[in-house]
Amino acid sequence: MPAKIITFVTMKGGSGKSTSAMCLGAYWHKQGAKVALIDADPAGTLVRWIEAGEDLADLAAATAGPGTVEKQIDAFLKDGFETIIIDTPGFQSEATDAAIRRADLLLIPMRPSPIDYQVAADTAEHVARLSSAPVRFVLSQTTRGSVIARHMRAQMEDAGLQPMNVEFPARVAYGEAALAGTTPSYYQPRGAAAAEIAQFAAETDRLLSRRRAKAGKASETV
């Protein structure tokens, strides 16, 4: 099967982009998948995260910037990685655009607030100009069952935007795990955060499988 490239993108910091990218990559790595991370954010969050502990020491990760994102993707593909996850800057850049163009799936994390919603919608419009890959929104730092989270989800659906079913509630487990250089999948494998990450990975995998199936049908038609 061809490798899968997942790009996390948003034009606003503090959305949970790096956290969701790391948690997804670490989950699949723990399951034995050959996954690699590309840290295209100048903050270097993913690389610093891995270096802070031991659980993720053998998780493949590399930094990339303007002009080098596609080269790093190709390098990982040459090395036989099955899944490549890209964390992009929280602003528009050449690196962001390169990661968008190469993606098989684009995930836009957002907090449940009107400002974050507008930025996420603007990000989706920018993505659509560069890629025909599926786009999904990921609600993060939510309070489960809150009025604002339900309102944001309904607003997205009314606008024809597609939020993922899974949400990432605000939990101390994410911050505690990051402090130790790990993720809840390792830190508290039976906890609620680890269960959310597993659901996130399963839903993401279904989206990628659906895209591969469509691509297969299209090639048969040609």
Side-chain angles (χ1 to χ4, degrees):
M1 297 296 292
K4 302 164 287 188
I5 301 174
I6 304 166
T7 296
F8 285 80
V9 59
T10 180
M11 304 304 170
K12 185 178 185 300
S15 63
K17 175 174 54 63
S18 298
T19 297
S20 50
M22 176 59 83
C23 287
L24 182 62
Y27 174 84
W28 276 330
H29 177 66
K30 188 180 180 185
Q31 301 302 307
K34 196 169 184 185
V35 59
L37 304 178
I38 295 178
D39 193 342
D41 190 335
T45 302
L46 299 190
V47 171
R48 293 172 187 269
W49 194 327
I50 291 171
E51 291 174 346
E54 298 180 359
D55 285 343
L56 307 175
D58 59 346
L59 174 55
T63 58
T68 62
V69 169
E70 294 197 82
K71 292 179 181 178
Q72 188 57 61
I73 292 173
D74 291 336
F76 279 142
L77 291 175
K78 185 177 180 181
D79 289 339
F81 284 94
E82 301 165 345
T83 305
I84 299 171
I85 296 173
I86 309 175
D87 184 27
T88 60
F91 51 85
Q92 185 178 347
S93 71
E94 180 184 337
T96 300
D97 290 353
I100 290 171
R101 285 191 292 265
R102 293 293 294 271
D104 296 299
L105 175 65
L106 290 133
L107 300 178
I108 303 177
M110 59 166 280
R111 294 181 298 180
S113 79
I115 293 175
D116 286 75
Y117 168 79
Q118 189 56 60
V119 172
D122 291 344
T123 300
E125 289 183 5
H126 179 69
V127 164
R129 290 192 286 269
L130 300 174
S131 173
S132 60
V135 178
R136 294 294 185 275
F137 294 78
V138 185
L139 280 166
S140 67
Q141 303 172 52
T142 63
T143 300
R144 189 169 295 280
S146 66
V147 172
I148 184 64
R150 292 199 304 271
H151 175 75
M152 288 293 103
R153 181 175 288 277
Q155 188 171 354
M156 281 189 284
E157 291 171 347
D158 289 344
L161 306 176
Q162 299 185 66
M164 294 185 76
N165 293 324
V166 68
E167 293 182 11
F168 284 103
R171 295 189 190 279
V172 296
Y174 292 104
E176 289 177 348
L179 190 63
T182 186
T183 68
S185 298
Y186 290 86
Y187 182 69
Q188 294 178 345
R190 297 184 179 179
E196 290 155 4
I197 294 167
Q199 293 167 12
F200 180 46
E203 188 173 355
T204 301
D205 204 30
R206 286 194 297 272
L207 290 169
L208 288 166
S209 297
R210 198 177 304 160
R211 177 169 171 77
R212 286 197 300 267
K214 288 182 179 179
K217 290 181 179 178
S219 63
E220 289 174 5
T221 302
V222 173

